[in-house]
Amino acid sequence: MRIEIWADVVCGWAYIGKRRVERALEGLDAEVVWRPFRIDPMAPAQAVPHEEAMADPTVDAALRRCAPDLTPGENRVRVALVAAEEGFGWTWGPAWRADSHDAHRLIALALEHGGPALQDAVAERVMKAHFLDRLDISDRATLHRLAADAGFAGGGALLDAGAGDELVRELLLKGKAMGVRTSPTIVAGSEALAGAQPAEVIREFVLAARPARRLPEEVERYRHAESLLDQRDPLGALALLRPLLDAHGDDRNVLMLAGRCYYLSAQLGRARAVLERLVAATPDDAYARHLLGRTLQRQGHAEEAGPHLRMAAVMAPEYA
């Protein structure tokens, strides 16, 4: 079974969770894959000293994504105590508030170029560097050394070439669409377990997990885009939908979802073009007419909007 760990490498519970997952999976036929999550997407591109960062209220908000049930102060104390119990010692603690995007790129690229074992080695070195060696893991030279130490000799060059950027951004959107809300979140089959739970809890969770039904990649992408739109993230939905628009630009469901995304993201010209195309193809689609009318209204074309809105209301009274 494949186990996915959605986590941020600057979240202490992620490193603790890694140790607990390792114990939980002893003797089981399972492979672990690391997926990106960001607890602190507002971290500055240039790392700042951790103590200085603690005065920034946005850091408190970030820490709550790492431990939703604890205050930031309680989380810092709790994670240090648990880290000591897990064998990390009392020197635990980052020295930097570091942007983790490039570290996530390196970890994702390690999976693509070497498989789960290489990825795990890179993830281990990145988290050790951040929490125990107190290094700046947003520093490109540091990531180059960590990649080489893990046996990923080409990792640094791939980072410098910009590889993995789009992949990580898509994975972050996929995690959001799946409902990942905290670091770490462990996914096994069709089940998810939030937080760095004790090893015995993780093992029971994995053993009881039901296999996920495999969907075609395009169907999964469409459903994730729908989920993001439901979460009021039309730009994220469009990012996932773009390959489907390129490959299936005539599919009615794809066009309708795109039209809704354009409307909610105020890209009214694009929304109008897509919705006019849908209404021309299927004149009795009440929802497409209603949304086209609303789009025209927002563009200031009340006279053009009127017939569409009235016809939609006749076909479906809820649009009256």
Side-chain angles (χ1 to χ4, degrees):
M1 177 182 288
R2 168 172 282 198
I3 312 299
E4 292 186 339
I5 304 178
W6 296 79
D8 198 342
V9 291
V10 296
C11 171
W13 291 110
Y15 201 10
I16 290 167
K18 185 177 189 298
R19 289 290 182 271
R20 291 178 171 180
V21 168
E22 288 165 353
R23 293 203 306 274
L25 297 183
E26 287 179 1
L28 299 183
D29 182 16
E31 68 174 16
V32 173
V33 169
W34 288 86
R35 300 300 193 193
F37 182 79
R38 297 293 301 275
I39 64 167
D40 190 11
M42 300 303 292
Q46 184 71 41
V48 297
H50 190 262
E51 291 306 316
E52 176 185 325
M54 288 302 100
D56 185 340
T58 64
V59 175
D60 282 356
L63 288 173
R64 288 190 182 278
R65 302 187 77 193
C66 199
D69 298 328
L70 300 174
T71 68
E74 290 171 340
N75 181 58
R76 286 191 286 271
V77 172
R78 177 64 178 148
V79 76
L81 291 172
V82 174
E85 293 171 359
E86 291 290 335
F88 290 110
W90 293 103
T91 59
W92 169 280
W96 300 95
R97 181 191 183 191
D99 186 301
S100 60
H101 181 70
D102 281 353
H104 284 304
R105 286 172 55 212
L106 183 64
I107 291 167
L109 289 166
L111 178 64
E112 278 201 331
H113 290 266
L118 178 62
Q119 186 192 45
D120 186 75
V122 172
E124 172 67 31
R125 281 162 178 78
V126 168
M127 286 186 275
K128 179 179 181 293
H130 183 66
F131 289 104
L132 301 181
D133 300 333
R134 301 172 66 80
L135 300 177
D136 174 10
I137 62 166
S138 67
D139 177 69
R140 190 65 61 80
T142 297
L143 291 175
H144 280 219
R145 291 195 301 272
L146 296 174
D149 290 346
F152 188 19
L158 287 167
L159 280 182
D160 291 346
D165 185 72
E166 183 176 347
L167 172 61
V168 167
R169 295 185 190 280
E170 277 216 352
L171 285 169
L172 289 168
L173 289 172
K174 178 181 176 180
K176 181 178 180 181
M178 291 169 55
V180 175
R181 297 289 180 269
T182 190
S183 170
T185 296
I186 301 167
V187 175
S190 60
E191 311 295 331
L193 179 68
Q197 302 293 337
E200 58 272 17
V201 174
I202 297 171
R203 188 178 183 88
E204 290 176 6
F205 162 75
V206 170
L207 291 172
R210 294 173 297 176
R213 186 165 70 92
R214 298 290 297 176
L215 296 173
E217 191 277 335
E218 292 178 334
V219 174
E220 184 178 78
R221 179 178 288 273
Y222 181 88
R223 290 188 176 181
H224 286 154
E226 277 189 314
S227 174
L228 289 176
L229 188 60
D230 289 343
Q231 295 177 53
R232 311 296 291 185
D233 183 2
L235 294 178
L238 281 169
L240 291 186
L241 199 59
R242 192 160 292 117
L244 297 183
L245 283 168
D246 292 340
H248 305 286
D250 294 326
D251 184 274
R252 182 170 186 78
N253 291 325
V254 172
L255 285 173
M256 178 58 78
L257 187 56
R260 292 169 59 201
C261 291
Y262 289 138
Y263 177 80
L264 287 175
S265 60
Q267 298 180 65
L268 300 180
R270 291 180 175 179
R272 178 177 178 175
V274 168
L275 293 166
E276 285 179 338
R277 182 177 170 186
L278 288 169
V279 168
T282 313
D284 61 348
D285 187 328
Y287 180 71
R289 278 198 180 275
H290 175 75
L291 196 56
L292 175 57
R294 292 299 186 199
T295 299
L296 292 165
Q297 274 187 333
R298 290 178 66 184
Q299 287 184 311
H301 304 308
E303 289 187 8
E304 293 179 60
H308 292 294
L309 292 173
R310 288 192 294 271
M311 189 171 294
V314 169
M315 290 188 288
E318 62 268 27
Y319 296 138

